[in-house]
Amino acid sequence: MNRYPVRVEGRLDTPLSRWLWLVKWLLAIPHYIVLSLLWPAFFLLTVVAFVAILFTGRYPRALFDFNVGVLRWTWRVVYYSYGALGTDRYPPFTLGPDPGYPASFDVDYPEHLSRGLVLVKSWLLAIPHYLLVAVFTSGALLIGDRYEGAWQFNLGGLIGVLVLIAALALLFTGRYPRGIFDIVLGMNRWTLRVAAYAALMTDAYPPFRLDAGEREPAAGDDPPAESPHAPAHRWTSGAILAVLSGSVLALVAAGTAFAGIGAATLHFHRDSDGFIAVDAGQVTTTTYAITTGDVRLTTPGARFLRDSVGRIRIEAHSTGAPVFIGVAPTAAVDRYLGNVAHDQLRQLGQNAQHLRRVGSQPAVPPLGQHFWAAQSDGSTLIWETEPGEWTLVLMNADATPRVTADLRLAAAVPALGGIIAGLLATSALFALTGTGLILLGLSLAAPPRAQTRQPATTGS
């Protein structure tokens, strides 16, 4: 049997504590925090490796050692905690190999990788394995007769169920059932092989077989699963910190760039009047009016929002009675509609939500009342935002019940150009800083160059 280039092993430590597994979720928190930082860097460096493989056919060795280290660290934590419960020894905080730890992970470094396969491995070829890994690692039990209020228990897939059985056996007998352990190791081995393949670390397709047990198959004549020597690159804490910081900045830069591109798209889709518009859907009520909640433009943040948004345009198109649109101070609207049946709008869109206020019909129609800051008896209202607490009111112009209209909201957003420039400049700054930190981390992790001895010279 040919040895697969991804090697996952775990030695069952005995005896295991009957009760320690009850608190491992707490003990492992420091590792969970570190891994939550390592995995974004893992994904980012995998993207970089994808580009490198596509153009050179090689996985950069420094990136390879880092990503193997992340999977190695993850496997140790999984093995210690609820992915196996195979040891009570606390996992080491290192990306490098630890020959003395009972859980080991390693991947043979590929000297050359297919440029064509890199395009289809992760998203297409690995799909059958993803389906099986999902069965191994995820699954939920939903209790309840309706979605709202139902209780959902994540069982962690087959691995989680088997580990739970093993934990109960430990609690009551002090022994980990060997058959369960072997199967759990086999499913974890399958999962990590697929993870390494999807992360582009090998072109060898993961085998469709459950290699159960502590050791890799036919491993008796093979070298240890992890070499006792350090990888080609020494990932010290300083190098790891530099790569993590750079990766976080690079991801923030990507998000900021997407926001800037989205804002630029809106900017170039202004209408002829300079507004950016969006359809808000249909609003309807059987009462006399529809209002918004209290819109406050008084705090410094709201003032900045007001200055950024600028003029607001509200369009309400109705196939029934002519619609009145008005904006007024909230206190004035409360007086006008205090005893009037109306709906307060809580959410727009297909799932529009209203809060019904009971009452009677208005004493007078809305048109012409002195308290409106802006009003329109047609289908369009344009309002220059001002400081204060405001409420938007939608009624039939003749104050009859049953208001129905299709809303379209628009804003001038005069500051959008500056926002776009700020987002793109921030993205460039974060990208440059992040790239610099990643390169710094790679240089810190690089193995020292061999010193060449210069021949001695003698004076004449």
Side-chain angles (χ1 to χ4, degrees):
M1 181 183 297
N2 294 330
R3 179 168 59 85
Y4 191 69
V6 180
R7 299 186 296 285
V8 182
E9 296 192 351
R11 183 182 70 254
L12 182 62
D13 269 352
T14 54
L16 291 169
S17 169
R18 290 174 179 255
W19 60 267
L20 186 62
W21 64 271
L22 293 170
V23 295
K24 283 185 176 180
W25 65 270
L26 178 63
L27 300 178
I29 286 177
H31 281 284
Y32 296 150
I33 294 173
V34 175
L35 288 173
S36 70
L37 299 174
L38 288 172
W39 273 96
F42 177 95
F43 286 117
L44 179 64
L45 296 184
T46 300
V47 173
V48 176
F50 168 86
V51 176
I53 296 168
L54 186 62
F55 287 98
T56 69
R58 292 179 61 87
Y59 200 126
R61 185 59 190 263
L63 307 188
F64 183 86
D65 288 341
F66 181 90
N67 282 352
V68 169
V70 173
L71 289 177
R72 179 183 291 127
W73 195 322
T74 302
W75 169 230
R76 289 170 180 160
V77 175
V78 166
Y79 190 76
Y80 170 79
S81 59
Y82 303 103
L85 292 179
T87 182
D88 290 339
R89 288 185 54 187
Y90 200 66
F93 285 87
T94 177
L95 294 175
D98 183 349
Y101 196 74
S104 60
F105 176 88
D106 205 4
V107 184
D108 293 338
Y109 178 70
E111 294 298 333
H112 182 271
L113 291 167
S114 169
R115 300 183 188 184
L117 280 178
V118 75
L119 296 171
V120 294
K121 283 196 293 189
S122 299
W123 68 272
L124 179 61
L125 299 183
I127 287 177
H129 280 287
Y130 292 156
L131 298 177
L132 291 169
V133 167
V135 175
F136 295 159
T137 61
S138 64
L141 175 65
L142 195 65
I143 299 179
D145 57 359
R146 55 196 300 264
Y147 181 75
E148 292 184 359
W151 291 357
Q152 180 172 308
F153 298 92
N154 190 348
L155 301 178
L158 291 178
I159 292 176
V161 172
L162 291 175
V163 171
L164 176 60
I165 295 172
L168 294 176
L170 268 176
L171 183 64
F172 291 104
T173 69
R175 296 183 60 191
Y176 196 127
R178 188 71 196 199
I180 291 179
F181 175 81
D182 289 343
I183 296 174
V184 166
L185 257 292
M187 288 190 288
N188 276 299
R189 180 174 289 121
W190 194 320
T191 300
L192 285 166
R193 286 172 177 173
V194 174
Y197 179 78
L200 314 177
M201 295 177 179
T202 179
D203 284 343
Y205 197 69
F208 281 95
R209 65 173 187 260
L210 187 68
D211 292 327
E214 294 183 344
R215 301 286 306 275
E216 288 280 349
D221 299 328
D222 289 338
E226 285 183 347
S227 168
H229 305 292
H233 291 75
R234 297 179 180 273
W235 283 100
T236 62
S237 58
I240 294 172
L241 181 60
V243 169
L244 291 183
S245 302
S247 300
V248 170
L249 287 178
L251 293 174
V252 172
T256 308
F258 280 123
I261 294 171
T265 302
L266 291 176
H267 181 70
F268 289 113
H269 282 79
R270 293 180 183 271
D271 60 24
S272 57
D273 295 325
F275 284 89
I276 299 171
V278 60
D279 289 322
Q282 187 182 79
V283 292
T284 183
T285 180
T286 58
T287 65
Y288 293 91
I290 298 174
T291 71
T292 63
D294 180 8
V295 179
R296 300 186 180 186
L297 298 178
T298 55
T299 64
R303 186 175 296 110
F304 170 78
L305 179 63
R306 182 199 72 227
D307 295 339
S308 301
V309 171
R311 292 183 301 157
I312 293 176
R313 186 181 69 198
I314 302 167
E315 300 175 64
H317 301 280
S318 174
T319 57
V323 175
F324 168 87
I325 312 170
V327 175
T330 299
V333 173
D334 289 344
R335 288 192 297 269
Y336 177 61
L337 296 178
N339 296 317
V340 174
H342 66 280
D343 283 353
Q344 186 179 88
L345 190 63
R346 292 297 183 90
Q347 179 177 317
L348 287 169
Q350 293 183 345
N351 300 319
Q353 297 179 3
H354 305 82
L355 179 62
R356 179 64 53 88
R357 307 284 186 179
V358 297
S360 58
Q361 67 183 39
V364 293
L367 188 62
Q369 298 300 315
H370 67 278
F371 55 80
W372 300 111
Q375 60 180 311
S376 172
D377 58 350
S379 61
T380 303
L381 175 143
I382 296 179
W383 177 47
E384 192 78 40
T385 54
E386 301 176 25
E389 299 179 6
W390 306 95
T391 296
L392 172 69
V393 178
L394 191 69
M395 301 178 65
N396 290 330
D398 57 2
T400 55
R402 299 189 181 278
V403 183
T404 300
D406 293 318
L407 285 184
R408 186 172 175 82
L409 308 178
V413 198
L416 188 58
I419 293 173
I420 295 170
L423 287 172
L424 295 181
T426 302
S427 175
L429 177 62
F430 283 175
L432 289 173
T433 306
T435 302
L437 287 171
I438 291 174
L439 293 176
L440 174 63
L442 295 177
S443 66
L444 292 174
R449 295 182 179 179
Q451 299 292 329
T452 57
R453 180 175 298 179
Q454 300 294 332
T457 58
T458 58
S460 57

